[in-house]
Amino acid sequence: MKLLVTGGAGYVGSVCAARLLENGHDVTVVDDLSTGHADAVPAGAEFVQADLADTAGQLLADGYDGVLHFAAKSLVGESMQDPDKYWQGNVVTSLRLLEAIREHGTPRLVFSSTAATYGEPESVPIPEDAPTRPTNTYGATKLAIDHAISSYATAHGLGATSLRYFNVAGAHGAFGERHTTETHLIPIVLQVALGLREQVQMFGDDWPTADGTCVRDYIHVTDLADAHLLALEHTRPGEHRVYNLGNGTGFSVQQVVETCREVTGHPIPAAVAPRRAGDPATLVASSDRARSELSWQPKHADLGVIVRDAWEFARGRNAG
Ligand code: UFG
């Protein structure tokens, strides 16, 4: 298929672009490089450095079989301090993209949605029909886009899939997580092991969880990318499907730090810090729907393997 990958210079977008190319697709990446890196765009993809909001119409006029829409602001903490960046950058840009899709009759869309659309769950694991009550602006903006996609699918025949990612981690060879300002737990903990930080701060130890630290469901980025390939094949005109992507097992911040100590052999000092605004206590996915409808089967569900791949990537970049 001829595919437009928005945000393909970012972490998840670059891994997915690489997997799409490996599977014989024709890939164009559009990215404004506000958080992505030009050298993360995989060889073999055409790269357009541009603001998606301004160029979506022009790009899709070329005739694409589908769009994979990764481009977004995606930090929970930042979204609470800088909501305009999220409403403008995520919602307004995505609405422009949807308009371009409608105008040019692009048949397929796979959208990066998030577990943050659910907010504090009533029960875990979280199924797709759980109430959506985001506790942070980031989740609220992604939920708004999900609603817009549903309307466009119903009214204009778009075949769309929203994939609700839980906590993505790990790396796919040379493609991994490297944010200029890192806020995600596993890369931060690994920075301590690399000697780039003195210690990790654990945001709260008084959450209603077994050890008092927040619990998350970590998914390997390669497994996540494979779900995108399956989602593309399964879109149907006029349908908007939603799938959770996680492994169904929760690990606390404390357990993640412990696993990183085991993988790296570094003592990784950790201190308790105040809670971070917008964090739910526990997010664990039920991915039964993706498993049954998409035949999705995560291959790297073990947290040790996820951390190992993230560690190899982080060490390689640090050495380079
Ligand atoms: N955490 C710390 N110390 C840190 C960094 C994070 O204790 O230095 C904690 C957070 O408070 C949270 C957990 O580690 O409890 C995971 O935090 P991340 O920032 O790594 O990830 P989030 O859970 O906040 O968010 C990620 C994605 C979202 C997605 C969400 C779904 O960034 O897009 O997972 O679970 F919605």
Side-chain angles (χ1 to χ4, degrees):
M1 284 189 234
K2 181 176 172 182
L3 301 169
L4 182 67
V5 175
T6 78
Y11 170 40
V12 177
S14 65
V15 172
C16 286
R19 293 291 291 153
L20 290 166
L21 289 162
E22 285 162 22
N23 282 272
H25 295 287
D26 177 0
V27 173
T28 298
V29 165
V30 56
D31 197 302
D32 65 1
L33 299 184
S34 57
T35 52
H37 308 271
D39 64 355
V41 177
E46 192 185 323
F47 177 43
V48 179
Q49 183 181 346
D51 180 342
L52 181 64
D54 296 340
T55 52
Q58 205 182 316
L59 285 164
L60 288 182
D62 262 3
Y64 281 86
D65 299 308
V67 178
L68 294 102
H69 182 32
F70 300 97
K73 301 291 170 205
S74 63
L75 302 177
V76 168
E78 182 187 61
S79 78
M80 302 302 285
Q81 280 144 19
D82 232 344
D84 47 307
K85 215 184 211 182
Y86 284 72
W87 288 105
Q88 298 290 337
N90 290 354
V91 178
V92 172
T93 303
S94 298
L95 292 178
R96 296 250 179 94
L97 176 65
L98 279 171
E99 263 311 285
I101 284 173
R102 185 188 61 76
E103 189 186 338
H104 297 292
T106 313
R108 294 174 194 82
L109 171 67
V110 178
F111 173 59
S112 304
S113 187
T114 171
T117 52
Y118 295 112
E120 194 67 67
E122 280 167 8
S123 60
V124 286
I126 306 170
E128 288 83 354
D129 57 5
T132 41
R133 292 184 293 237
T135 55
N136 54 64
T137 303
Y138 167 61
T141 62
K142 288 282 185 169
L143 182 60
I145 301 162
D146 276 343
H147 287 313
I149 293 172
S150 287
S151 305
Y152 273 72
T154 306
H156 305 305
L158 173 66
T161 302
S162 288
L163 298 176
R164 292 197 170 147
Y165 307 168
F166 281 61
N167 285 59
V168 189
H172 179 61
F175 303 99
E177 200 165 3
R178 49 180 176 126
H179 300 110
T180 310
T181 309
E182 192 51 74
T183 66
H184 289 121
L185 181 63
I186 291 177
I188 283 182
V189 178
L190 295 179
Q191 284 177 356
V192 180
L194 285 170
L196 302 174
R197 282 176 197 256
E198 280 188 11
Q199 61 174 18
V200 57
Q201 295 191 316
M202 298 192 295
F203 298 145
D205 66 348
D206 55 353
W207 296 93
T209 61
D211 65 19
T213 64
C214 285
V215 169
R216 295 289 183 271
D217 182 342
Y218 294 88
I219 170 173
H220 197 293
V221 68
T222 310
D223 286 333
L224 186 83
D226 288 347
H228 289 73
L229 288 155
L230 292 166
L232 260 182
E233 288 166 19
H234 284 78
T235 56
R236 295 285 171 271
E239 282 183 20
H240 177 211
R241 300 182 180 197
V242 176
Y243 296 103
N244 288 343
L245 296 176
N247 285 308
T249 309
F251 291 93
S252 70
V253 171
Q254 181 75 58
Q255 288 175 310
V256 169
V257 173
E258 201 46 60
T259 303
C260 292
R261 288 180 180 135
E262 284 162 19
V263 168
T264 63
H266 187 283
I268 309 182
V272 177
R275 289 182 176 195
R276 185 174 67 177
D279 271 346
T282 303
L283 287 174
V284 177
S286 163
S287 297
D288 292 353
R289 191 187 279 180
R291 287 169 191 266
S292 66
E293 292 185 15
L294 300 178
S295 304
W296 178 65
Q297 194 60 52
K299 298 186 187 77
H300 315 285
D302 184 82
L303 183 62
V305 171
I306 295 173
V307 169
R308 183 203 64 199
D309 288 355
W311 176 232
E312 277 174 17
F313 174 78
R315 262 201 313 190
R317 285 213 63 83
N318 196 46

